[in-house]
């Protein structure tokens, strides 16, 4: 595997379910990101991790819970989501966390909340 | 003010034509302005980027023009090809604010053969 991979690619869940999204980067990077891409809004940064430490939480509701066990893996735990949370969730990584470090994106997980 | 405004939302160009996408920003602390290209079913990929110390950057058929006083920057795609059909996003980030990108709303480009 190369680059940034995300699983699953598609997920349908009910509002009472608990699920997790997984991201893995094979680039040796130290920073990882979660973004939300929905049809009606620009790409929104959700969380940033630098060397496994969370450095940014962009006012994301607590029903989204990130986890970064090491620099290569990032999870997004989901529980009691709302239909408006349906979106494409993108993971990205960069070498460092400084402005201008190119971010490499995964293909995303298409989430549908019923 | 963190917003980056992008226009147009969609654009149709004939093969061989010039595609122009514009972005405007408010926050003068932004110091890095990348453009990302996204094909259906894929994540965005960096296309070209510029810092405000230069007014233009060219890479192949892609050029960024940057107007610091107007707080605007644009992407020009010369000799547009059907393979350029994708969604394009401008973005901006600030020095000393990590690598947090603020994205524009996106432009869906269609290049007709």
């Amino acid at each position: 595997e190369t680059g940034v991979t995300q699983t699953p690619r598609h997920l349908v869940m009910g509002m009472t379910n608990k699920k997790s999204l997984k991201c893995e980067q094979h680039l040796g990077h130290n920073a990882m990101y979660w973004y939300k891409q929905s049809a009606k809004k620009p790409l929104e940064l959700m969380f940033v991790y630098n060397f496994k430490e969370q450095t940014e939480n962009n006012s994301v509701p607590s029903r989204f819970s990130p986890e970064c066990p090491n620099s290569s893996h990032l999870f997004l735990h989901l529980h009691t989501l709302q239909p408006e949370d349906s979106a494409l969730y993108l993971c990205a990584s960069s070498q460092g966390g400084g402005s201008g470090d190119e971010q490499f994106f995964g293909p995303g997980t298409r989430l549908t909340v019923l | 003010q963190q917003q980056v405004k992008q226009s147009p939302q969609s654009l149709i160009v004939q093969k061989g034509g010039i595609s122009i996408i514009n972005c405007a920003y408010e926050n003068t602390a932004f110091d890095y302005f990348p453009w990302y290209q996204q094909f259906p079913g894929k994540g965005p990929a960096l296309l070209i980027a510029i810092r405000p110390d230069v007014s233009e950057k060219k890479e192949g058929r892609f050029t960024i023009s940057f107007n610091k006083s107007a707080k605007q920057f644009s992407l020009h795609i010369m000799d547009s090809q059907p393979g350029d059909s994708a969604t394009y996003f401008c973005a901006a980030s600030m020095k000393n604010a990590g690598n947090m990108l603020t994205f524009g709303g996106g432009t869906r480009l269609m290049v007709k053969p």
Side-chain angles (χ1 to χ4, degrees):
Chain A
E1 292 274 19
T2 59
V4 181
T5 57
Q6 290 187 243
T7 54
R9 292 295 309 274
H10 300 271
L11 178 62
V12 179
M13 60 186 289
M15 291 167 56
T16 58
N17 291 159
K18 288 185 180 181
K19 296 285 184 184
S20 295
L21 309 185
K22 179 183 176 182
C23 174
E24 184 172 2
Q25 58 95 1
H26 309 268
L27 300 168
H29 289 168
N30 297 305
M32 297 188 78
Y33 312 78
W34 278 117
Y35 287 88
K36 177 183 178 182
Q37 186 174 32
S38 53
K40 298 184 179 180
K41 286 187 174 182
L43 266 159
E44 300 173 84
L45 179 66
M46 301 175 70
F47 301 103
V48 181
Y49 278 83
N50 239 316
F51 293 92
K52 302 187 300 177
E53 298 295 321
Q54 186 180 127
T55 57
E56 187 65 29
N57 175 336
N58 203 16
S59 303
V60 180
S62 60
R63 57 186 184 269
F64 295 92
S65 174
E67 179 190 1
C68 188
N70 55 61
S71 293
S72 299
H73 294 86
L74 185 65
F75 295 89
L76 188 63
H77 304 299
L78 316 172
H79 63 98
T80 59
L81 293 192
Q82 304 298 311
E84 60 264 29
D85 296 322
S86 298
L88 182 69
Y89 288 85
L90 290 160
C91 173
S93 70
S94 64
Q95 179 60 49
S99 178
D101 282 340
E102 180 180 352
Q103 293 187 27
F104 292 78
F105 284 81
T109 294
R110 174 70 62 186
L111 173 67
T112 302
V113 181
L114 302 176
Chain B
Q1 181 63 274
Q2 295 285 333
Q3 198 173 14
V4 177
K5 295 182 179 179
Q6 183 171 346
S7 63
Q9 286 186 311
S10 62
L11 181 62
I12 300 175
V13 173
Q14 288 295 130
K15 178 182 175 181
I18 303 173
S19 305
I20 302 174
I21 305 170
N22 301 299
C23 282
Y25 63 96
E26 290 295 326
N27 193 335
T28 55
F30 285 141
D31 74 334
Y32 174 69
F33 302 88
W35 284 90
Y36 279 80
Q37 179 188 56
Q38 185 176 25
F39 293 104
K42 305 280 188 182
L46 180 66
L47 187 62
I48 187 173
I50 198 168
R51 291 201 180 267
D53 51 345
V54 296
S55 60
E56 186 175 282
K57 183 173 182 181
K58 184 175 181 179
E59 289 184 2
R61 296 185 293 110
F62 301 92
T63 301
I64 300 179
S65 296
F66 187 83
N67 186 330
K68 190 173 181 178
S69 61
K71 292 186 285 187
Q72 295 175 346
F73 58 110
S74 59
L75 176 69
H76 295 239
I77 306 175
M78 312 300 287
D79 186 27
S80 298
Q81 300 296 312
D84 296 330
S85 297
T87 301
Y88 293 81
F89 295 93
C90 63
S93 67
M94 280 189 289
K95 191 176 181 180
N96 300 327
N99 202 10
M100 294 168 50
L101 289 172
T102 300
F103 281 87
T107 297
R108 185 170 292 183
L109 171 66
M110 180 186 296
V111 181
K112 289 194 167 182

